[in-house]
Amino acid sequence: MKLGSQNQLLFPSHGSRTLFFGNDLDWLHYTWIDIGTPNLSFLVAVDAGSDLLWLPCDCIQCAPLSSTFYSSLDRDLSEYRPSLSSSSTHLSCNHQLCDLGSHCKNLRDDPCPYVANYGDSENTSSSGFLIEDKLHLASVSLNSNSTQKQMQASVVLGCGRKQTGGYLDGAAPDGVMGLGPGDISVPSLLAKAGLIPKSFSLCFDVNGSGTILFGDLGHTSQKSTPLLPLQGRYDAYLIEVESYCVGNSCLEQSGFKALVDSGSSFTYLPTDVYNKIVLEFDKQVNAERISSQGGPWNYCYNVSSKQLNDIPAMRLQFLMNQSLLIHNSTYYVPQNQEFTVFCLTLQPIDYNYGIIGQNYMTGYRVVFNMEDLKLGWSSSNCQDISDETEVNIAPPRDDGSPNPLPTNEQQSIPNKHAVAPAVAGRTSSKPSVASKHIPCLHLHISSLTLLLHMYLFVLHI
């Protein structure tokens, strides 16, 4: 099985496509997945900053699921009901993946509870209990253009009975698929079952489309940089940036460690690095700086159509002369035929690490490779998925699936943070490294990124 897993890619049975809806669904990327028997479809946010897959389930407090609440959707979203799936079973409190077992009265018979707190400013969370059920997938061989094969795999998911904060206000109303390196994440469970190597890729194209591929190790010619441990454990996709370059200038002392997190809509830098970057950008750009009028970004400009070509490029520099040219470092709002307002989509964060969000991943096939402990990337239009063969990956089979392109209404400057930076991790009743040092940290879980990770960075990076 392990040898066979090296030669196939898995993706959701609807197809590998990811969707982007702009402001309507809080600037996150989504994909359709099918869960249960009979299968039911869910539009889940793809989040490399957390581990848990959760769905709105037997709801006490959930976001609206009717399409009338979302201008981009033309079909209603689903609510998961374990009692209606013949393949669902409760995860018991004595299961090895249950971190809150000590809160149960009966370890063998009680369902395992979970609480997931997410690192935004809106006290965003999901809570409920854990379920094991079937995820419907398709597979394709890397060695041939063979027909896709349908299959099912057991995964652990959160029956999200109660959501709070951003999850009641447009962010991931139909759930989150955590893609982190933790044992409970979908990539980890697929790898443990011998179906794939422990690696996956995300690709976000400039037009808002993209792909997700489980088992993808990337192109042999891709660039890469090592993943870094936290206290000897690889609990997050953490990398080190040697320097940040604006135009032709790579700034001194501009290096930083960063989480790579598709659950963060935009990118955040440690305050000292942020200040150097924005000052250098402001010096190089030939444009009039203006107020962002309540938007989240501090450096916005009004430029003519001619000046658009003179905006300085930005690049991240890594070890071994590896670099990543940033294709999506600015956000544009056309004013008329002659002038455009654009903002530098960077924000400071008061920690000594940064968060590389999905906007900096645009234009690349980004490979989260836990087999070789490296992050890889290669320029991509998100169509071809292997060095030798172009594999046609089917789009969602339901013609009523949402339009992935943002509407005009979604092109306004956002006036708030999305659910980013998300800093999350699965709740643990056991003393974490962080909680040993910070007594007030209790029952904090994994992410759209988990709070536990944030504390670990503060203490140990």
Side-chain angles (χ1 to χ4, degrees):
M1 287 181 67
K2 194 66 175 177
L3 288 174
S5 73
Q6 304 291 323
N7 296 316
Q8 73 171 354
L9 297 176
L10 300 182
F11 46 90
S13 57
H14 276 273
S16 70
R17 188 170 63 170
T18 65
L19 309 170
F20 180 68
F21 304 93
N23 196 40
D24 194 31
L25 289 175
D26 251 24
W27 302 88
L28 298 171
H29 280 259
Y30 295 81
T31 195
W32 286 101
I33 63 171
D34 275 12
I35 294 286
T37 308
N39 55 305
L40 195 60
S41 299
F42 299 88
L43 182 66
V44 292
V46 292
D47 179 24
S50 69
D51 296 327
L52 181 67
L53 164 63
W54 67 263
L55 306 171
C57 167
D58 290 346
C59 287
I60 296 173
Q61 180 174 286
C62 298
L65 298 177
S66 169
S67 61
T68 59
F69 285 88
Y70 311 98
S71 62
S72 296
L73 303 182
D74 53 15
R75 62 188 274 193
D76 292 342
L77 301 175
S78 300
E79 179 180 347
Y80 176 69
R81 296 186 183 277
S83 61
L84 299 182
S85 173
S86 62
S87 52
S88 73
T89 57
H90 285 90
L91 213 70
S92 64
C93 290
N94 63 359
H95 194 281
Q96 62 180 358
L97 292 177
C98 181
D99 283 343
L100 290 181
S102 62
H103 293 258
C104 304
K105 292 182 179 179
N106 188 319
L107 286 178
R108 188 178 64 179
D109 298 328
D110 285 354
C112 174
Y114 82 89
V115 180
N117 294 306
Y118 293 78
D120 71 339
S121 58
E122 301 178 355
N123 296 316
T124 298
S125 70
S126 174
S127 58
F129 50 87
L130 297 181
I131 296 286
E132 187 173 357
D133 208 339
K134 299 297 184 181
L135 171 65
H136 295 252
L137 298 163
S139 70
V140 357
S141 172
L142 285 172
N143 299 328
S144 67
N145 279 321
S146 59
T147 305
Q148 295 173 19
K149 297 180 180 179
Q150 300 296 310
M151 61 181 299
Q152 298 176 25
S154 293
V155 295
V156 174
L157 60 98
C159 172
R161 304 198 67 196
K162 182 177 181 180
Q163 278 65 250
T164 64
Y167 289 145
L168 299 179
D169 190 30
D174 213 21
V176 170
M177 181 163 61
L179 300 169
D183 292 340
I184 205 170
S185 75
V186 169
S188 296
L189 291 171
L190 295 179
K192 186 176 180 180
L195 299 174
I196 57 168
K198 193 174 180 181
S199 182
F200 72 94
S201 68
L202 292 172
C203 188
F204 302 140
D205 198 7
V206 291
N207 65 4
S209 64
T211 58
I212 178 170
L213 296 168
F214 300 115
D216 187 11
L217 296 169
H219 288 280
T220 55
S221 59
Q222 70 185 353
K223 297 180 179 179
S224 66
T225 195
L227 291 170
L228 305 178
L230 288 168
Q231 290 194 312
R233 292 174 54 87
Y234 291 88
D235 290 329
Y237 302 115
L238 177 67
I239 60 173
E240 183 159 13
V241 177
E242 281 207 322
S243 61
Y244 196 113
C245 308
V246 181
N248 294 322
S249 175
C250 292
L251 305 182
E252 293 183 1
Q253 297 182 329
S254 60
F256 58 96
K257 290 182 174 68
L259 281 172
V260 183
D261 181 15
S262 63
S264 180
S265 309
F266 301 105
T267 294
Y268 298 75
L269 300 180
T271 300
D272 57 339
V273 176
Y274 168 85
N275 289 334
K276 292 176 183 177
I277 301 310
V278 294
L279 290 176
E280 180 65 24
F281 183 87
D282 190 58
K283 183 173 71 174
Q284 291 191 28
V285 72
N286 180 25
E288 174 191 2
R289 185 178 169 192
I290 62 172
S291 167
S292 63
Q293 300 177 337
W297 303 305
N298 297 321
Y299 284 79
C300 296
Y301 302 86
N302 190 26
V303 297
S304 67
S305 55
K306 294 180 180 179
Q307 291 172 309
L308 281 174
N309 297 323
D310 298 328
I311 297 174
M314 308 184 83
R315 179 166 46 92
L316 301 180
Q317 193 71 31
F318 299 95
L319 290 168
M320 306 296 291
N321 203 30
Q322 304 283 284
S323 65
L324 184 146
L325 178 66
I326 300 161
H327 299 301
N328 192 19
S329 62
T330 51
Y331 185 79
Y332 295 89
V333 183
Q335 301 298 295
N336 51 50
Q337 289 185 343
E338 295 184 1
F339 287 92
T340 295
V341 167
F342 80 88
C343 297
L344 183 62
T345 54
L346 275 177
Q347 289 178 262
I349 186 171
D350 292 330
Y351 297 98
N352 52 357
Y353 69 96
I355 296 176
I356 295 175
Q358 60 190 26
N359 65 324
Y360 273 33
M361 298 164 64
T362 300
Y364 293 97
R365 172 180 168 189
V366 181
V367 177
F368 299 80
N369 185 342
M370 288 298 293
E371 292 282 318
D372 300 322
L373 297 177
K374 63 184 181 182
L375 183 85
W377 64 92
S378 56
S379 295
S380 178
N381 61 5
C382 304
Q383 299 298 319
D384 55 331
I385 60 172
S386 76
D387 286 322
E388 299 82 17
T389 306
E390 183 167 315
V391 180
N392 181 26
I393 297 179
R397 57 178 176 268
D398 189 327
D399 291 335
S401 62
N403 181 354
L405 300 179
T407 65
N408 289 335
E409 185 219 344
Q410 294 162 358
Q411 294 302 314
S412 59
I413 294 179
N415 59 9
K416 64 175 184 175
H417 298 265
V419 183
V423 181
R426 278 184 306 114
T427 298
S428 175
S429 60
K430 303 171 185 177
S432 68
V433 173
S435 62
K436 291 177 184 176
H437 294 273
I438 303 177
C440 63
L441 179 64
H442 298 295
L443 302 184
H444 287 327
I445 276 203
S446 166
S447 158
L448 268 132
T449 316
L450 278 178
L451 293 173
L452 175 59
H453 288 163
M454 181 176 289
Y455 288 117
L456 286 173
F457 279 116
V458 174
L459 291 168
H460 300 292
I461 289 181

